[in-house]
Amino acid sequence: MYQLILFLHIFSSILSIGPFFVLVPMTKKMRTAESIVLLEYLSLFTSAVRLVKHAGHVLVTTGVLLIWQSAWPWTASWVVMTIAVMISSVFFLARAFSPVIRKFHEQKLSREELVQKLHRSVWIYIALLMMMLWFMVAKPDIW
């Protein structure tokens, strides 16, 4: 059972990170896309964020089960740091993408500003997820 949970945890990790690497080149194309194509890109962006959210639910659930079934204490530094980064990434995900996508539809800011915000947010989120991944793989003993 542990191996199945571990597989689901790793697979949901891939689903949580992977779509954002597709969004990086897409944000560059959004700068010059025609209006109809831009709406399609925004729809894909929204779908990718939704997929990442749901994969995150599986990731958290399987992570809790893995810690519960293992010998690792909840106070291990890598566990605490992973949880801290995860909480940060949840708040970041909620504020970084959907509000900006809504502003595209409201046309309150220029396209360039909005695309730049999305592009920067994608890289920040990737960095947060990579930090979390590093804590889970390297399991550093910080304290």
Side-chain angles (χ1 to χ4, degrees):
M1 185 60 127
Y2 185 85
Q3 289 177 335
L4 175 63
I5 296 169
L6 181 60
F7 172 80
L8 291 173
H9 188 68
I10 293 168
F11 184 67
S12 61
S13 174
I14 292 166
L15 289 178
S16 292
I17 297 170
F20 284 96
F21 287 102
V22 174
L23 296 179
V24 171
M26 196 170 78
T27 57
K28 293 178 182 177
K29 292 180 180 181
M30 290 171 72
R31 286 185 168 96
T32 59
E34 294 179 23
S35 294
I36 283 203
V37 177
L38 178 63
L39 291 175
E40 291 175 16
Y41 284 151
L42 291 172
S43 178
L44 283 169
F45 215 104
T46 303
S47 297
V49 170
R50 192 174 301 128
L51 171 66
V52 166
K53 286 180 185 178
H54 292 306
H57 295 129
V58 175
L59 187 63
V60 170
T61 303
T62 56
V64 167
L65 291 172
L66 287 171
I67 294 295
W68 178 59
Q69 289 186 351
S70 72
W72 289 103
W74 285 98
T75 55
S77 59
W78 71 269
V79 174
V80 172
M81 294 303 294
T82 300
I83 291 170
V85 174
M86 180 196 63
I87 290 169
S88 300
S89 70
V90 167
F91 282 108
F92 183 79
L93 185 64
R95 295 186 173 269
F97 299 107
S98 296
V100 176
I101 292 171
R102 272 194 300 277
K103 287 180 183 175
F104 265 103
H105 296 295
E106 295 168 1
Q107 298 178 344
K108 288 190 175 181
L109 295 173
S110 74
R111 179 190 292 200
E112 184 58 35
E113 287 176 289
L114 293 170
V115 169
Q116 186 59 34
K117 281 184 178 194
L118 285 178
H119 188 76
R120 184 176 59 246
S121 294
V122 166
W123 280 112
I124 291 169
Y125 195 69
I126 287 172
L128 286 169
L129 293 176
M130 288 298 160
M131 257 195 304
M132 214 176 347
L133 184 62
W134 182 78
F135 284 124
M136 287 186 281
V137 172
K139 296 177 178 35
D141 190 18
I142 299 170
W143 57 76

